[in-house]
Amino acid sequence: MQDKKQWGALDYFRIAAACLVIAIHTAPLSSFSDEADFVLTGIIARVAVPFFFMVTGQFLLPAWLFEKKADRAQIVRFIGKTLLLYGIATVLYIPVNIYADHWNDKGVAEAFRLLVFDGTFYHLWYLPALATGVSLIVFLSRKLSFHSVFGVGLLLYLVGLFGDSYFGMIRKVPVISNIYDGMFSMFSYTRNGLFFAPVFLIMGAWIGHTRLLWKRNAVAAGLAVSLTAMVTEGMMLHHFELQRHDSMYLSLLPCMFFLYLFIGSFRLKPNPFLRKTATWMYLIHPAVIILVRGAAKAFRLTGTLVNNSLLHFLAVSIGSAVIAVMIVLTFRGTGRNHPHRGRAWIELDRENLRHNVSELKKYLPETGSLMAVVKANAYGHGAVPVSKELNRLGIKHFCVASASEGAELRKHGIRGEILILGYTHPTDFRLLKRYRLTQTVVDVAYARVLNLFGRQIGRKVPVHIKIDTGMHRLGERSEKTEEICDIFRCTNLKIQGIYTHLCNAETVLPANRQLTLEQGAAFFKVLERIKEQGFCCPAIHLQATDGLLNYPELSGDFARAGIALYGMTSSPADRMKWKDILRPVLSVKARVAVVKELYQGEAAGYGLQYVAERDSRIAVLTIGYGDGLPRALSCGVGSVLLNGMEAPVIGRICMDQTLVDISGIPDVEPGDTAVIIGSSGNREITAYDVAERTGTITNEVLSRLGGRLERIII
């Protein structure tokens, strides 16, 4: 997926884009020069709205345009939220519309035009345009290739162009002019969701999909040339009075391409606060214009704050920013899942999960699919939120350890096949039927028990057959081909898959490689025997995470991706090998409950295992081994991050709390966030680090994270 640091600068430019929109509506240079103001507001500032469209396209539409496996619910939710925001904004501006008499004597057709195309207030056209443009692209992408969709978007833009800046070129052609007159009876401008939005949404999606990154100097040169061309184009059109409106230029397309890449050349961390502030600045600035003018009139400052266009622009921009910040701060932390209300929690990075899925798919054959391993609560990450996100990404096959884990996924609406990798006791077979689960056949005797259950319920039981090729855990031994064929003879089993588990695939060292290839050979020999007996060979899968990454030649219909989905490998020794491919999904964080002094010679914690060698400051964190923090990190073995600095664990880790030394860390206060696993400032503690310090593997560290830790997708 996309490198968040590469595109974090978009959040900063949002503020500039919001100010450019304000400039369009306040004409900041009109007091000094009409020509200069036109260059600013009628040409340069026209990059603002396409920029917003491109951001949406980048982060919403790549899966629809390129993978053809996106989740429809994600689009429905986005459009629903956009229209809800549109509805709220419409209600907020009702008093202004009534005061200005904008809605007087409006018929049904006029109301439709306002709601669907023009916007219920002059700046609100963007919201229905966004919903319309996204809907159109999603519809087209289901029928056409990306290049065709882009061609349609470009064609629509060109059609819109002649209803906007190039209108003067066609108004003297009666046939074409009549067509546009008919169009203008439905909407006032071609600057809308049908003609204007699609091409920029598509451009953003393409940049997001390709993760395009050029050198800053080259991009800056392209931006300078294209922006100069757009200013020249705009001035010529303005001079010859060809413009009906001034939103659409031919040069705007290359200008937006280079501008977007130029912004992306600055590697900054995402800033959700600026993102929300810019949105509110856009929504509320017309109301602030009214407030500024009203206040100027009341305090007899009209000559200063209104008649001086530049001061008017600055007053509106600053006022909009201040009110937007107040709104964002007011509603910050009010959400049910917001981490500011938790004692300790897990944050899941949605973009990193998507990135890992995308990278792992590259190791699959063309017809292969990922089978997501979400057992043990998705290795501690949270099986339900992770599986929902994977469903959105088009993952339709999951595997769990038990029937109860599978049932939990179904209760939360997870779609697709859910394979139980382990043994299910016959008393729980009812769960297989009720929640449409697929059971692993662990040997021929178990197959007969499942077959009997299928006969009793009058329905075939969906199963995958496990073959033991060397792990010697579950599965019928590979040399017992007759017994394996007996499983195929069970008439009440619906055999959907057959698989084995590679027990030594974590490296490609000669000894490991020999054993792994021997396992593969034994498995494929079983498949040949099955075919010789006249049985249809079902879907096959050999690879788990290590097999997928190290032995792509042993591919099948599925690959059971486990720890790699979450950006890790089991062994800390492999961290450097895959660090540029896999990105950690999980961070663990906790609150500082108390900060206190500990004087020289005083002891702290159970057993008084820590004794202060000097006057110290300590912090009590709201996390302990009851949350899955390994007790082996006690007494200085482990550490946490506070304010970008490392704070060692002191004394024994308790069930619910942990003590850390913060003597060298300034400004630590109760309520601050401590990072247990994850990044703070320029420092990072990974699950690999915790595994190394506690003498185990990342799988164990992550899988033991407690159920009382709230999982939050960010």
Side-chain angles (χ1 to χ4, degrees), residues 19-30 37 41 285 289 293 306 308-310 312-314 316-317:
C19 290
L20 288 175
V21 173
I22 294 173
I24 292 172
H25 298 145
T26 56
L29 301 181
S30 59
D37 189 72
T41 62
H285 78 270
I289 292 175
R293 292 179 177 177
V306 177
N308 186 313
S309 60
L310 182 58
H312 182 53
F313 162 73
L314 293 174
V316 173
S317 298

Side-chain angles (χ1 to χ4, degrees), residues 502-616:
L502 305 175
C503 59
N504 211 20
E506 63 267 20
T507 75
V508 291
L509 295 174
N512 294 50
R513 182 171 181 80
Q514 180 180 351
L515 178 57
T516 299
L517 296 181
E518 287 176 356
Q519 280 192 267
F523 180 72
F524 287 112
K525 185 175 181 180
V526 169
L527 300 183
E528 291 177 6
R529 179 61 175 163
I530 291 169
K531 292 178 181 178
E532 289 173 358
Q533 292 295 312
F535 298 110
C536 181
C537 192
I540 68 170
H541 44 111
L542 301 80
Q543 301 162 317
T545 287
D546 289 331
L548 176 62
L549 294 176
N550 294 322
Y551 295 90
E553 67 270 28
L554 294 179
S555 60
D557 298 291
F558 301 119
R560 302 183 303 274
I563 191 70
L565 270 179
Y566 314 109
M568 313 293 294
T569 57
S570 299
S571 171
D574 291 334
R575 65 191 299 181
M576 297 305 295
K577 182 178 180 181
W578 303 109
K579 71 179 182 67
D580 293 329
I581 295 175
L582 303 175
R583 298 177 184 169
V585 171
L586 170 145
S587 297
V588 182
K589 300 181 179 180
R591 290 277 166 232
V592 173
V594 174
V595 174
K596 60 175 56 182
E597 304 294 330
L598 194 66
Y599 301 119
Q600 184 177 4
E602 287 187 322
Y606 280 120
L608 302 177
Q609 293 293 298
Y610 175 77
V611 179
E613 297 179 354
R614 62 186 187 284
D615 290 350
S616 307

Side-chain angles (χ1 to χ4, degrees), residues 412-431:
H412 286 84
I414 303 305
R415 304 182 305 278
E417 181 183 43
I418 300 177
L419 171 64
I420 301 168
L421 296 173
Y423 170 83
T424 299
H425 191 273
T427 56
D428 285 333
F429 281 175
R430 56 187 174 79
L431 297 177

Side-chain angles (χ1 to χ4, degrees), residues 5 68 87 198 294 362 463 481 487 588 645:
K5 285 187 177 181
K68 308 297 183 182
K362 295 176 182 178
V463 298
T481 54
I487 299 174
V588 182
M645 302 179 71

